[in-house]
Each structure stands twice: as structure tokens, then as C-alpha cells.
């Protein structure tokens, strides 16, 4: 059986958990106690040399980058519904995977790290980055249903969690109706599973 090593409040882990569920793949969730430092223990570091979650173990195939795992799952189990498509389409998807690792990570994800985990980051900078990202995304979604055209892809799965949970980091989604519609579409997918919610931060 596929094993996913995760933390229940990790958006990086949740994007993999979500995709496993959307694919209908039987899997075991293995919770890693980050507070106790389990991710830095020798056994875990054998799977992930940087000591982070998630880690996917697909019957001996061990992968540890969340976006890389999405690509692997799409290619291995996604079939026609989740195929990466043409070189141009795959490049567009990769662009959004880079956004997930860049502006999403340094924007809404970092803002949430401050409020949920007490991370020593500049909250105002993170919120400003999130706002700039959302303004651009909202415009893009004026003309299309998903991040790469009219069909859901792993680009949407990679972006969803930290954006949907942005209010937990003090970043309101109220002014971005297209993003709200997009979130609703993701949550309406068959076999959708959400991430555990935390109390909302005060939103300016």
C-alpha cells in the first residue's frame, strides 16, 4: 500500500493527500510528530534528507517533494483525466508548480506559518505577497475556469490548500470572487478531502 508521511496541518502534505484521494488510490496516512522532532530522526532522514514532510512511499519508490510527487502520481496513476498533455501544457503546469513553490510558499503559506505555528517571519511581507498573488490569480481566472485553461490539473491541486486556508494566516479572500469560485470547484471534485482547519486570524 502507498504510505504518505505527513503532518495534519501541512499544506504541502495535504496537496498529496488530496490528490491520492481524487485518484481513488488506497493509501495509509502516517502522522509525523514535527513538534517532537520526528522528522529529524535518523530513520526519517533516510527517506527525506532535508527532514520535511511529505514523504511518499509507493511500495519502495520513495519521493519527498510535494510537487514532484504530484507529477509522479499523475504520470503513474492519473490516466487520461490527469495527463500532463502536450509539451506546452506541461510547461504551463510546471509554471504553476513553480508558483506553488515560490509566491504561494512565501505569501499565504508563510502568513499562515506565523499565525498557526508562530514562525519568526515577517507577517506583513507575507500578507503583501499573498495579496499581490491573489490579484493576479483573480484576473487570470476571469477568462478560464482553472489555472491551466478549462480542465483541472495538478497545478490546481498544488495551489489549492494554502490559498483556501489563506484566511487562517490573516489574508482575506473576500475581494477575489474568481478565486472563491475556483476553490468551490476544487472542493466539488469527487473524493475531495479537506485539510484540518485552524481558528481564523484577524483579517484586516
Amino acid at each position: 500500500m502507498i504510505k504518505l508521511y505527513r503532518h495534519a496541518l501541512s499544506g504541502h502534505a495535504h496537496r498529496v493527500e488530496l490528490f491520492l484521494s481524487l485518484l481513488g488510490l488506497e493509501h495509509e496516512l502516517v502522522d509525523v510528530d514535527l513538534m517532537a522532532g520526528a522528522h529529524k530522526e535518523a530513520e526519517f532522514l533516510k527517506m527525506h534528507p532535508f527532514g520535511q514532510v511529505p514523504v511518499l512511499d509507493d511500495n519502495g519508490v520513495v519521493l519527498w517533494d510535494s510537487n514532484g510527487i504530484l507529477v509522479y502520481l499523475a504520470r503513474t496513476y492519473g490516466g487520461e483525466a490527469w495527463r500532463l498533455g502536450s509539451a506546452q501544457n506541461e510547461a504551463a503546469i510546471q509554471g504553476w508548480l513553480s508558483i506553488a513553490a515560490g509566491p504561494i510558499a512565501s505569501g499565504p503559506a508563510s502568513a499562515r506559518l506565523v499565525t498557526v505555528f508562530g514562525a519568526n517571519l515577517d507577517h506583513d511581507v507575507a500578507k503583501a505577497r499573498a495579496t499581490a498573488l491573489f490579484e493576479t490569480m483573480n484576473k487570470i481566472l476571469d477568462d478560464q475556469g482553472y489555472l491551466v485553461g478549462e480542465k483541472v490539473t495538478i497545478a490546481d491541486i498544488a495551489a489549492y490548500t494554502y490559498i483556501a486556508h489563506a484566511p487562517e494566516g490573516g489574508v482575506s479572500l473576500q475581494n477575489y470572487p474568481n478565486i472563491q469560485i475556483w476553490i468551490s470547484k476544487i472542493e466539488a471534485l469527487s473524493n475531495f478531502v479537506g485539510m484540518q482547519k485552524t481558528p481564523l486570524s484577524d483579517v484586516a
Side-chain angles (χ1 to χ4, degrees):
M1 184 185 296
I2 295 173
K3 291 184 179 181
L4 175 63
Y5 295 81
R6 61 135 199 187
H7 186 277
L9 295 179
S10 165
H12 285 75
H14 176 260
R15 63 178 60 143
V16 177
E17 180 184 350
L18 171 57
F19 196 37
L20 286 168
S21 183
L22 295 177
L23 291 172
L25 292 173
E26 187 176 358
H27 58 280
E28 176 186 354
L29 298 177
V30 182
D31 288 313
V32 179
D33 191 345
L34 303 184
M35 301 304 108
H39 56 307
K40 300 300 183 182
E41 293 179 357
E43 284 303 307
F44 190 84
L45 291 172
K46 290 179 182 177
M47 296 189 296
H48 193 324
F50 293 99
Q52 299 171 336
V53 291
V55 170
L56 184 85
D57 183 347
D58 181 9
N59 297 293
V61 177
V62 178
L63 304 167
W64 47 257
D65 174 76
S66 62
N67 290 333
I69 292 170
L70 294 182
V71 172
Y72 168 80
L73 291 174
R75 286 194 177 279
T76 307
Y77 301 107
E80 181 65 22
W82 293 95
R83 71 185 185 90
L84 302 182
S86 67
Q88 181 178 348
N89 196 72
E90 185 171 352
I93 291 172
Q94 182 58 56
W96 280 104
L97 297 183
S98 295
I99 294 294
I104 291 176
S106 65
S110 290
R112 183 174 168 275
L113 281 174
V114 174
T115 58
V116 175
F117 295 100
N120 184 23
L121 301 170
D122 191 318
H123 196 212
D124 289 335
V125 168
K127 290 194 294 182
R129 288 172 176 164
T131 298
L133 170 68
F134 292 170
E135 288 176 355
T136 300
M137 279 189 65
N138 200 64
K139 291 177 183 176
I140 290 171
L141 291 169
D142 258 337
D143 301 319
Q144 58 196 54
Y146 296 96
L147 297 181
V148 182
E150 297 303 327
K151 179 177 178 291
V152 65
T153 70
I154 58 171
D156 303 285
I157 307 308
Y160 164 79
T161 307
Y162 285 123
I163 293 174
H165 287 258
E168 297 175 10
V171 185
S172 175
L173 295 169
Q174 188 171 5
N175 294 328
Y176 310 107
N178 294 331
I179 292 179
Q180 293 179 54
I181 292 170
W182 170 78
I183 288 172
S184 297
K185 289 180 178 179
I186 303 300
E187 294 176 351
L189 293 172
S190 180
N191 294 328
F192 171 85
V193 290
M195 184 172 70
Q196 179 181 324
K197 294 183 178 180
T198 60
L200 298 183
S201 171
D202 293 333
V203 178

